[in-house]
Amino acid sequence: MADQPDNPQDNNSEEEVNPLSVANRHQEKPTGPLDEDPTTHRSPAEDVAAEEDEPFIDGFGWNTVIGALFIGIIMMPGAIYLSLVAGQGIGPAAEWVTIILFMEVARRSYQTLKKQELYLLYYIGGALTANFAGIALAGGIFSVLVWNNYVLHTPLAQAFGITQNVPNWVVPQMGSDALIQRTFMHPDWLPAIGLLLFVYIFGRFQYFGLGYVMFRLTSDTERLPFPLAPIAAEGATALAESSAQHEGWRWRIFSIGAMIGVGWGTIYVLIPTITGLIFAQPIVIVSNPWIDLTANTQKILPAAQAAIGTDLGTVLVGFVLPFPVVVGTFISSVLAYLVANPILYHMGILNHWTQGIDLTQTQLVNYFDFWLSFGSIGSSFAVAFIGIISVVRALMGKKTELSSTTTRRKTLPVGRGDIPIWSALLVWFFGCTGFIAITHYLIPGFPVWILCAFGYVWTPLYSYINARMAGLAGTHISIPYLKEASFMMTGYQKVDIWFAPIPLADYGTMAQQFRTVELTRTKFTSIIKVELLMIPIMFICSFLFWSFIWKLAPIPSATYPYAAKMWPVAGQSQVLWYTANRQGEGNVLLSAVNLNYILAGAGTSFALYGLVWLAGLPILLFYGLVNGLIAQPFAAIPMFIGAMLGKYYFAKRYGAENWRAYAPVLVAGYYCGMGLIGMGAVAIALLSKSISALPF
C-alpha cells in the first residue's frame, strides 16, 4: 500500500494540480524549471498519465546493433576495471553515456531517436555491464571464473581440502599452466567455459519465460504499481524529448539530477582515481563507500556497526521508495546494529567481536554470532510465510492488505507484443529441464527429486512472491539458505554441489523489467531481439577483456585496491559456506546456526506484523522493519533522510502528485551524471595501466 498524499488534488483543476500556482497565486504565471510544460499546458502528473495511451513501437534496429557493439567493446573493460578498483558498477555510465552519444550523433545528422530506441540502449548497457559474481564484479560471465578461481585458491580453501577436490568444470586443477600464466586461452578452461555458456543461455530461457508470466499476474491482473519501474522509463523519455528538441519538464529535471551526479562523482570517483595514478596514495575527500566509525564508538558502543554512508544516490533513492518501507528500514536498522549490538555483546552473544577490528570484520563476526540466525533465517522465514499466505489469498480472489486498489486489466494493450502464457511457460520449462539434466549429469549422486522440486515447484512460487513485493514496495524477500539446508539434509558431502547449476532462482524481478518496458511503450518483442544480439557480444567481449585485465596483474592485488581490501573477507565467508554440508567438527557454518535465535527472530517478526496490523499502520511498514535487519545503518540513514526531504519538503513545495512524477527523473539524471564522471575516470585509469604494462 503506497503512501498517500496528505491533500489529494483534483486533476480537473490546473491550479490545484500544480501547487506552484497556489504558492504564487499573486503572480500572473508561475515560473521556474519545475513548472507545467508551457507547450502542452499539462501538469507533469497529467503528462505521465497521458503517455499510457501512446502506441507501442519496436525500438530494435541498426542503432541498437551499433550501440550493443559500442557498449561491449568500449564500456565493458571500464566496468571490469571500476569494479576491481572502486567496487563501483559502471552500469549508469554504460547506459547513459551510450544514450547521450547516440543522441548527439543523431541530432547532428538531423535525425531524432525515439524513446523506445533510447530505452533499448539503456537496457543493453545495464545487461552487458551487470554484476555476475563476487563483490560488485562486473564484465560478463567470465567474472564468475575469476571469482571462483580466487576463492578456491585461498589459503582457507586449501586448509579445508576444498581446492584439491574441485572438479575441472569449475576451475582447472592446481598447477595448471592456465592458472600460472593467468589466461583463459588454454584448453584446461574449456569444461568450465562450456558449462558457463550453457548455464547463461538456459538461464535466460527461464528468466524471460517465467518472468513474463509473473508480469502478467502482478501487473495486468493485480495492477500493482511497481514504484521503481519508472526510473529508467522516465530517463529515456527525458532524453527523447531533448533529441526531438522539445525540452519539456523531464529534460529540465533530468539535467538538474545530472549536474548533481557530475558534482558528486568528481569528488567521489574522479579525484581519487586521477590522484592515485599520480601519487603514491590517492587523495580521498570522501571515503568510499562509507566513513568507518567503529574505532571511534567501540568503547561506548562495543560491536556497533557504526559508519556514515557516502553514496549520495542512496539519498535520492529515498525519494522514490514507498515512505513506510524507508521508515521501517531506518528504525529497525538503527535499533538492531547500533542499539542492540552493544547489548548483545554485554550479554555474551556477540562473543567473537574484539576491539580494534574495522566495520567489515565487525559485520562478519556479528553476522555469524547472531544475525545469521535471528535476521537472515528467523525473520525471513516469517516474512516468507506471511507472503505465501498473501499469495494464496490473492489466488483465491480475496482482498488482502497489499491488494491493488485498481481493477484487473480485462484486455491486453494492443500492439504490446504479448505472447500466450502457455508459450512463455513452455520456454521456462525447457530452460528448467535443461538445468536439471545438466546438474544430474555432473552430479549423479544428488537426488533428482530435490532438483525437480526446486525447479518446477519452489522457483515459480518464490518468483511470484517477489514479483508482488517488487510491485508493491520495490523490494524483495529471501527464503534463507533453502539450498544450503537441502545439501545438508541429503547427506551429500562433496564440494562440487556448490558449483552445480541448481534450478533455484528468483525470476520475479523480471516482472518489474517488463513493467518498465511497458512504460516506455516499447514492444516486448524488441527485448527478445536484443537478448539474442547480446549473447555473442557479451561472451566474446567478456572473454577478451577479462583475459587482458587478469594478465596485467594478479586479482586481487595492490593494482586493484577495492578487490585487495574486500575480497579476502568475502572469500573467507564463501569458503565457510562450502563446508556447510560436511559432517562433524569440520562444519564451521552449521555451528553458527542457533535454533533459539531463529525462533526468536521469527517470533519477533510475527509480533511486529501483528502490532502494525492492529495499529492500522501501512502494512509496508512491516516489510521495511524486516528489511532493516539486512540493511546496514550507513545505507538506511541516508535513505531515510531522502524520504523525509521528499515527503515533507519537496512534496509540499511542488505537490505530491507532481513530485511523484519528478523523483524518478531526478534519480535517473543523477546516475547519468555519476556515470559520465565514472566513465571518464575509468578511461584515464585504463589507459595509464595499459601503458605501464608495456615492455617499452
PDB file of all heavy atoms in Angstrom, residues 12 14 47 168 186 215 229-230 324 335 352 385 395 408 434 463-464 527 578 603 607 646:
ATOM      1  N   ASN A  12      -8.885  17.914 -12.341  1.00  0.00           N
ATOM      2  CA  ASN A  12      -9.630  18.746 -13.268  1.00  0.00           C
ATOM      3  C   ASN A  12      -9.299  20.216 -13.120  1.00  0.00           C
ATOM      4  O   ASN A  12      -9.676  21.037 -13.929  1.00  0.00           O
ATOM      5  CB  ASN A  12     -11.140  18.561 -13.054  1.00  0.00           C
ATOM      6  CG  ASN A  12     -11.574  17.151 -13.397  1.00  0.00           C
ATOM      7  OD1 ASN A  12     -11.052  16.560 -14.333  1.00  0.00           O
ATOM      8  ND2 ASN A  12     -12.521  16.606 -12.640  1.00  0.00           N
ATOM      9  N   GLU A  14      -6.413  23.018 -12.939  1.00  0.00           N
ATOM     10  CA  GLU A  14      -4.996  23.220 -13.223  1.00  0.00           C
ATOM     11  C   GLU A  14      -4.280  23.833 -12.043  1.00  0.00           C
ATOM     12  O   GLU A  14      -3.173  23.473 -11.704  1.00  0.00           O
ATOM     13  CB  GLU A  14      -4.842  24.106 -14.452  1.00  0.00           C
ATOM     14  CG  GLU A  14      -3.378  24.362 -14.822  1.00  0.00           C
ATOM     15  CD  GLU A  14      -3.262  25.136 -16.105  1.00  0.00           C
ATOM     16  OE1 GLU A  14      -4.073  24.934 -17.003  1.00  0.00           O
ATOM     17  OE2 GLU A  14      -2.349  25.959 -16.181  1.00  0.00           O
ATOM     18  N   ASP A  47       0.773  14.693 -17.625  1.00  0.00           N
ATOM     19  CA  ASP A  47       1.632  14.300 -18.740  1.00  0.00           C
ATOM     20  C   ASP A  47       1.974  12.820 -18.656  1.00  0.00           C
ATOM     21  O   ASP A  47       1.938  12.096 -19.655  1.00  0.00           O
ATOM     22  CB  ASP A  47       2.903  15.143 -18.714  1.00  0.00           C
ATOM     23  CG  ASP A  47       3.595  15.170 -20.064  1.00  0.00           C
ATOM     24  OD1 ASP A  47       2.918  14.891 -21.066  1.00  0.00           O
ATOM     25  OD2 ASP A  47       4.793  15.475 -20.098  1.00  0.00           O
ATOM     26  N   ASN A 168      37.098 -30.232 -12.621  1.00  0.00           N
ATOM     27  CA  ASN A 168      37.682 -29.355 -13.633  1.00  0.00           C
ATOM     28  C   ASN A 168      36.636 -28.525 -14.370  1.00  0.00           C
ATOM     29  O   ASN A 168      36.982 -27.627 -15.131  1.00  0.00           O
ATOM     30  CB  ASN A 168      38.508 -30.172 -14.634  1.00  0.00           C
ATOM     31  CG  ASN A 168      37.637 -31.114 -15.460  1.00  0.00           C
ATOM     32  OD1 ASN A 168      36.498 -31.408 -15.113  1.00  0.00           O
ATOM     33  ND2 ASN A 168      38.201 -31.619 -16.542  1.00  0.00           N
ATOM     34  N   HIS A 186      43.453 -21.307 -22.844  1.00  0.00           N
ATOM     35  CA  HIS A 186      44.119 -22.570 -22.531  1.00  0.00           C
ATOM     36  C   HIS A 186      43.055 -23.665 -22.510  1.00  0.00           C
ATOM     37  O   HIS A 186      41.943 -23.451 -22.009  1.00  0.00           O
ATOM     38  CB  HIS A 186      44.816 -22.471 -21.165  1.00  0.00           C
ATOM     39  CG  HIS A 186      45.788 -23.576 -20.907  1.00  0.00           C
ATOM     40  ND1 HIS A 186      45.392 -24.838 -20.522  1.00  0.00           N
ATOM     41  CD2 HIS A 186      47.153 -23.613 -20.978  1.00  0.00           C
ATOM     42  CE1 HIS A 186      46.455 -25.600 -20.361  1.00  0.00           C
ATOM     43  NE2 HIS A 186      47.536 -24.888 -20.637  1.00  0.00           N
ATOM     44  N   PHE A 215       4.869 -11.099 -14.676  1.00  0.00           N
ATOM     45  CA  PHE A 215       4.402  -9.765 -15.055  1.00  0.00           C
ATOM     46  C   PHE A 215       2.914  -9.765 -15.356  1.00  0.00           C
ATOM     47  O   PHE A 215       2.177  -8.865 -14.926  1.00  0.00           O
ATOM     48  CB  PHE A 215       5.193  -9.278 -16.268  1.00  0.00           C
ATOM     49  CG  PHE A 215       4.579  -8.096 -16.963  1.00  0.00           C
ATOM     50  CD1 PHE A 215       4.689  -6.823 -16.416  1.00  0.00           C
ATOM     51  CD2 PHE A 215       3.868  -8.257 -18.148  1.00  0.00           C
ATOM     52  CE1 PHE A 215       4.110  -5.725 -17.050  1.00  0.00           C
ATOM     53  CE2 PHE A 215       3.298  -7.175 -18.787  1.00  0.00           C
ATOM     54  CZ  PHE A 215       3.419  -5.901 -18.230  1.00  0.00           C
ATOM     55  N   ALA A 229       9.934   1.022 -11.211  1.00  0.00           N
ATOM     56  CA  ALA A 229       9.943   0.833 -12.661  1.00  0.00           C
ATOM     57  C   ALA A 229      10.068   2.137 -13.440  1.00  0.00           C
ATOM     58  O   ALA A 229      10.711   2.164 -14.496  1.00  0.00           O
ATOM     59  CB  ALA A 229       8.692   0.063 -13.095  1.00  0.00           C
ATOM     60  N   PRO A 230       9.472   3.263 -12.996  1.00  0.00           N
ATOM     61  CA  PRO A 230       9.525   4.471 -13.828  1.00  0.00           C
ATOM     62  C   PRO A 230      10.896   5.124 -13.952  1.00  0.00           C
ATOM     63  O   PRO A 230      11.063   6.012 -14.789  1.00  0.00           O
ATOM     64  CB  PRO A 230       8.546   5.428 -13.111  1.00  0.00           C
ATOM     65  CG  PRO A 230       7.674   4.564 -12.278  1.00  0.00           C
ATOM     66  CD  PRO A 230       8.548   3.432 -11.863  1.00  0.00           C
ATOM     67  N   PRO A 324       6.593   4.314   3.928  1.00  0.00           N
ATOM     68  CA  PRO A 324       6.591   3.380   5.067  1.00  0.00           C
ATOM     69  C   PRO A 324       7.739   2.375   5.025  1.00  0.00           C
ATOM     70  O   PRO A 324       8.257   1.982   6.071  1.00  0.00           O
ATOM     71  CB  PRO A 324       5.231   2.680   4.940  1.00  0.00           C
ATOM     72  CG  PRO A 324       4.389   3.607   4.154  1.00  0.00           C
ATOM     73  CD  PRO A 324       5.318   4.273   3.185  1.00  0.00           C
ATOM     74  N   LEU A 335      18.082   0.388  15.350  1.00  0.00           N
ATOM     75  CA  LEU A 335      17.880  -0.335  16.612  1.00  0.00           C
ATOM     76  C   LEU A 335      18.690  -1.627  16.653  1.00  0.00           C
ATOM     77  O   LEU A 335      19.226  -2.001  17.707  1.00  0.00           O
ATOM     78  CB  LEU A 335      16.397  -0.643  16.800  1.00  0.00           C
ATOM     79  CG  LEU A 335      15.480   0.547  17.101  1.00  0.00           C
ATOM     80  CD1 LEU A 335      14.031   0.091  17.237  1.00  0.00           C
ATOM     81  CD2 LEU A 335      15.918   1.270  18.375  1.00  0.00           C
ATOM     82  N   HIS A 352      32.566 -13.109  19.449  1.00  0.00           N
ATOM     83  CA  HIS A 352      33.747 -13.105  18.599  1.00  0.00           C
ATOM     84  C   HIS A 352      34.221 -11.690  18.257  1.00  0.00           C
ATOM     85  O   HIS A 352      35.245 -11.525  17.595  1.00  0.00           O
ATOM     86  CB  HIS A 352      33.477 -13.873  17.295  1.00  0.00           C
ATOM     87  CG  HIS A 352      33.436 -15.361  17.481  1.00  0.00           C
ATOM     88  ND1 HIS A 352      32.271 -16.057  17.709  1.00  0.00           N
ATOM     89  CD2 HIS A 352      34.424 -16.287  17.486  1.00  0.00           C
ATOM     90  CE1 HIS A 352      32.531 -17.344  17.834  1.00  0.00           C
ATOM     91  NE2 HIS A 352      33.831 -17.517  17.711  1.00  0.00           N
ATOM     92  N   PHE A 385       6.459 -16.761   5.127  1.00  0.00           N
ATOM     93  CA  PHE A 385       5.179 -17.366   5.499  1.00  0.00           C
ATOM     94  C   PHE A 385       4.032 -16.382   5.267  1.00  0.00           C
ATOM     95  O   PHE A 385       3.001 -16.727   4.692  1.00  0.00           O
ATOM     96  CB  PHE A 385       5.219 -17.798   6.968  1.00  0.00           C
ATOM     97  CG  PHE A 385       3.932 -18.419   7.448  1.00  0.00           C
ATOM     98  CD1 PHE A 385       3.646 -19.736   7.168  1.00  0.00           C
ATOM     99  CD2 PHE A 385       3.010 -17.666   8.168  1.00  0.00           C
ATOM    100  CE1 PHE A 385       2.459 -20.312   7.605  1.00  0.00           C
ATOM    101  CE2 PHE A 385       1.825 -18.223   8.609  1.00  0.00           C
ATOM    102  CZ  PHE A 385       1.548 -19.557   8.323  1.00  0.00           C
ATOM    103  N   LEU A 395      -4.688 -15.534  -4.904  1.00  0.00           N
ATOM    104  CA  LEU A 395      -5.098 -16.516  -5.894  1.00  0.00           C
ATOM    105  C   LEU A 395      -6.534 -16.970  -5.686  1.00  0.00           C
ATOM    106  O   LEU A 395      -7.232 -17.337  -6.631  1.00  0.00           O
ATOM    107  CB  LEU A 395      -4.156 -17.726  -5.850  1.00  0.00           C
ATOM    108  CG  LEU A 395      -2.720 -17.483  -6.337  1.00  0.00           C
ATOM    109  CD1 LEU A 395      -1.869 -18.713  -6.107  1.00  0.00           C
ATOM    110  CD2 LEU A 395      -2.715 -17.102  -7.809  1.00  0.00           C
ATOM    111  N   ARG A 408      -8.570  -5.265 -12.335  1.00  0.00           N
ATOM    112  CA  ARG A 408      -7.701  -6.015 -13.229  1.00  0.00           C
ATOM    113  C   ARG A 408      -7.943  -5.597 -14.663  1.00  0.00           C
ATOM    114  O   ARG A 408      -9.009  -5.144 -15.050  1.00  0.00           O
ATOM    115  CB  ARG A 408      -7.925  -7.512 -13.072  1.00  0.00           C
ATOM    116  CG  ARG A 408      -9.318  -7.987 -13.445  1.00  0.00           C
ATOM    117  CD  ARG A 408      -9.418  -9.492 -13.355  1.00  0.00           C
ATOM    118  NE  ARG A 408      -8.542 -10.118 -14.323  1.00  0.00           N
ATOM    119  CZ  ARG A 408      -8.365 -11.439 -14.380  1.00  0.00           C
ATOM    120  NH1 ARG A 408      -8.952 -12.237 -13.520  1.00  0.00           N
ATOM    121  NH2 ARG A 408      -7.573 -11.949 -15.297  1.00  0.00           N
ATOM    122  N   GLY A 434      16.576 -28.217 -18.762  1.00  0.00           N
ATOM    123  CA  GLY A 434      17.991 -28.236 -19.111  1.00  0.00           C
ATOM    124  C   GLY A 434      18.885 -28.141 -17.887  1.00  0.00           C
ATOM    125  O   GLY A 434      19.903 -28.839 -17.788  1.00  0.00           O
ATOM    126  N   SER A 463       9.209 -16.871  -7.078  1.00  0.00           N
ATOM    127  CA  SER A 463       9.233 -15.766  -8.032  1.00  0.00           C
ATOM    128  C   SER A 463       7.957 -14.936  -7.937  1.00  0.00           C
ATOM    129  O   SER A 463       7.998 -13.705  -8.064  1.00  0.00           O
ATOM    130  CB  SER A 463       9.410 -16.309  -9.452  1.00  0.00           C
ATOM    131  OG  SER A 463      10.642 -16.986  -9.599  1.00  0.00           O
ATOM    132  N   TYR A 464       6.832 -15.581  -7.736  1.00  0.00           N
ATOM    133  CA  TYR A 464       5.580 -14.845  -7.632  1.00  0.00           C
ATOM    134  C   TYR A 464       5.551 -13.974  -6.374  1.00  0.00           C
ATOM    135  O   TYR A 464       5.110 -12.822  -6.399  1.00  0.00           O
ATOM    136  CB  TYR A 464       4.402 -15.818  -7.627  1.00  0.00           C
ATOM    137  CG  TYR A 464       3.056 -15.133  -7.572  1.00  0.00           C
ATOM    138  CD1 TYR A 464       2.771 -14.043  -8.387  1.00  0.00           C
ATOM    139  CD2 TYR A 464       2.067 -15.578  -6.712  1.00  0.00           C
ATOM    140  CE1 TYR A 464       1.542 -13.417  -8.344  1.00  0.00           C
ATOM    141  CE2 TYR A 464       0.829 -14.956  -6.658  1.00  0.00           C
ATOM    142  CZ  TYR A 464       0.575 -13.876  -7.481  1.00  0.00           C
ATOM    143  OH  TYR A 464      -0.633 -13.246  -7.429  1.00  0.00           O
ATOM    144  N   ILE A 527      12.779  -6.682 -26.803  1.00  0.00           N
ATOM    145  CA  ILE A 527      13.685  -7.190 -25.773  1.00  0.00           C
ATOM    146  C   ILE A 527      14.212  -8.568 -26.160  1.00  0.00           C
ATOM    147  O   ILE A 527      15.387  -8.897 -25.923  1.00  0.00           O
ATOM    148  CB  ILE A 527      12.963  -7.231 -24.410  1.00  0.00           C
ATOM    149  CG1 ILE A 527      12.441  -5.843 -24.041  1.00  0.00           C
ATOM    150  CG2 ILE A 527      13.887  -7.748 -23.321  1.00  0.00           C
ATOM    151  CD1 ILE A 527      13.521  -4.802 -23.907  1.00  0.00           C
ATOM    152  N   TYR A 578      31.103 -23.423   1.854  1.00  0.00           N
ATOM    153  CA  TYR A 578      31.425 -24.676   1.189  1.00  0.00           C
ATOM    154  C   TYR A 578      31.650 -25.821   2.176  1.00  0.00           C
ATOM    155  O   TYR A 578      31.768 -26.976   1.755  1.00  0.00           O
ATOM    156  CB  TYR A 578      32.673 -24.507   0.310  1.00  0.00           C
ATOM    157  CG  TYR A 578      32.516 -23.503  -0.798  1.00  0.00           C
ATOM    158  CD1 TYR A 578      33.618 -22.852  -1.352  1.00  0.00           C
ATOM    159  CD2 TYR A 578      31.262 -23.187  -1.315  1.00  0.00           C
ATOM    160  CE1 TYR A 578      33.477 -21.930  -2.381  1.00  0.00           C
ATOM    161  CE2 TYR A 578      31.117 -22.260  -2.333  1.00  0.00           C
ATOM    162  CZ  TYR A 578      32.226 -21.629  -2.849  1.00  0.00           C
ATOM    163  OH  TYR A 578      32.083 -20.711  -3.871  1.00  0.00           O
ATOM    164  N   GLY A 603       9.567 -15.176  15.841  1.00  0.00           N
ATOM    165  CA  GLY A 603       8.546 -14.681  16.766  1.00  0.00           C
ATOM    166  C   GLY A 603       8.476 -13.166  16.791  1.00  0.00           C
ATOM    167  O   GLY A 603       7.382 -12.576  16.816  1.00  0.00           O
ATOM    168  N   ALA A 607       5.279 -10.845  15.706  1.00  0.00           N
ATOM    169  CA  ALA A 607       4.754  -9.853  16.650  1.00  0.00           C
ATOM    170  C   ALA A 607       4.692  -8.469  16.018  1.00  0.00           C
ATOM    171  O   ALA A 607       3.715  -7.725  16.196  1.00  0.00           O
ATOM    172  CB  ALA A 607       5.622  -9.830  17.909  1.00  0.00           C
ATOM    173  N   GLY A 646      11.804  14.308   0.728  1.00  0.00           N
ATOM    174  CA  GLY A 646      10.817  14.168  -0.326  1.00  0.00           C
ATOM    175  C   GLY A 646       9.398  14.396   0.159  1.00  0.00           C
ATOM    176  O   GLY A 646       8.618  15.106  -0.486  1.00  0.00           O
TER     177      GLY A 646
END
